[in-house]
Amino acid sequence: MLKNNWLSLTYHSLFILFISAPLLVVIAVSFTSLGYISLPTDGLSLRWFYAILDERQFIDAFLMSAWLALVSATVAIALAIPAALALANYRFPGRGALSAFFLSPLMIPHVVLGIAFLRFFNQAGFSGSFGWLSMTHVIVVFPYALRLTLASVTGLSRDTELAARSLGARPHTVFLRIVLPLILPGVAGGWMLAFIQSFDEVTMTVFVATPGTTTLPVAMYSYISQSIDPLVASLSTVLIVATMLTMFILDRIVGLDRVLVGKN
């Protein structure tokens, strides 16, 4: 078994520090006692963390983002499972074109999607609805859910499924008791990635969100365009810590290797 030498360890450490530097700077700025972004700062304070509780717009936007991401990720994974099973288990004309169509939102800039959705909603009179906003997020996050689900389905042997059917098991029983448990790591990983992408989406959402459906990223973007105080930095620190705790808990309970890689 090969071991990393000091040069490779140094390189990897510097690389990790490089990609983590923006997060570390945001965290450091959030603890300033000043009324503006400053690094280094004259003193440490939690005043901007307490200030989050006074900004009702951020609390409402967080709840909107969480609910929107939950709905979008759930709908996306519900559509991704049958799509992945069809693409992996069957050969039919247009299979490659259908797969490319499902993954096409990854190739279209979100700015273009936002402008297209905005024009479509304005022409159809659908703007301002949470349901239509959810639909746009489903379109954007569906490829992420499909890729991880498809990866878990592709390497799945159908012998157990065929054996169950030969013994008289109904199709829905075979799916619920055999197929779904086998592909569950990919499904869970696809749902989690779709949830994160939906919660973090701002480029497309800023075009279609309304005052009644403002998400947290859009609210933060609007706030920093009008203010230079560290409030958004403190809010970002809270989200960073919450994400790290969620990943840690998920790793302890399920294991990130099983969720993201599909290891058993």
Side-chain angles (χ1 to χ4, degrees):
M1 180 178 179
L2 298 177
K3 295 183 177 180
N4 293 326
N5 56 30
W6 67 270
L7 184 59
S8 62
L9 290 176
T10 302
Y11 172 78
H12 284 89
S13 299
L14 292 176
F15 180 76
I16 293 174
L17 179 62
F18 174 76
I19 62 177
S20 303
L23 300 180
L24 297 177
V25 171
V26 170
I27 294 174
V29 168
S30 65
F31 288 96
T32 183
S33 61
L34 303 177
Y36 52 89
I37 296 177
S38 175
L39 189 68
T41 181
D42 294 338
L44 301 179
S45 175
L46 297 176
R47 59 174 292 196
W48 295 110
F49 291 94
Y50 292 119
I52 297 175
L53 301 177
D54 297 329
E55 293 290 338
R56 185 65 192 180
Q57 59 170 328
F58 287 137
I59 298 176
D60 293 339
F62 171 80
L63 295 176
M64 173 61 67
S65 290
W67 176 239
L68 177 63
L70 178 64
V71 172
S72 302
T74 303
V75 173
I77 203 65
L79 297 175
I81 292 175
L85 292 173
L87 292 174
N89 296 334
Y90 301 99
R91 298 294 182 268
F92 51 88
R95 175 175 173 271
L98 184 62
S99 177
F101 173 74
F102 285 153
L103 301 177
S104 60
L106 294 176
M107 299 177 288
I108 303 176
H110 286 193
V111 173
V112 176
L113 285 175
I115 295 175
F117 284 134
L118 176 62
R119 181 170 178 79
F120 171 74
F121 289 157
N122 286 338
Q123 293 290 333
F126 295 148
S127 59
S129 170
F130 175 83
W132 290 104
L133 179 61
S134 301
M135 185 197 71
T136 63
H137 275 239
V138 170
I139 294 174
V140 170
V141 305
F142 177 75
Y144 299 96
L146 178 62
R147 287 301 295 266
L148 268 72
T149 306
L150 186 60
S152 63
V153 174
T154 300
L156 180 66
S157 175
R158 301 193 64 189
D159 294 340
T160 307
E161 177 185 355
L162 295 176
R165 289 186 177 182
S166 66
L167 294 174
R170 296 181 180 274
H172 69 274
T173 303
V174 174
F175 173 75
L176 293 176
R177 296 193 176 185
I178 297 176
V179 177
L180 185 58
L182 291 175
I183 66 174
L184 189 57
V187 172
W191 185 92
M192 183 178 67
L193 190 58
F195 182 92
I196 294 173
Q197 289 294 327
S198 176
F199 190 92
D200 193 50
E201 168 59 39
V202 61
T203 307
M204 181 271 296
T205 308
V206 74
F207 287 96
V208 296
T210 62
T213 57
T214 301
T215 61
L216 184 59
V218 173
M220 295 171 65
Y221 176 78
S222 301
Y223 187 86
I224 61 177
S225 65
Q226 304 172 5
S227 178
I228 59 172
D229 61 48
L231 180 60
V232 171
S234 63
L235 181 58
S236 300
T237 300
V238 172
L239 294 177
I240 292 171
V241 174
T243 302
M244 293 175 61
L245 289 177
T246 302
M247 299 299 288
F248 176 79
I249 295 173
L250 188 63
D251 182 54
R252 294 293 92 187
I253 296 177
V254 181
L256 292 180
D257 287 342
R258 295 186 70 247
V259 173
L260 298 179
V261 185
K263 292 184 179 181
N264 296 318

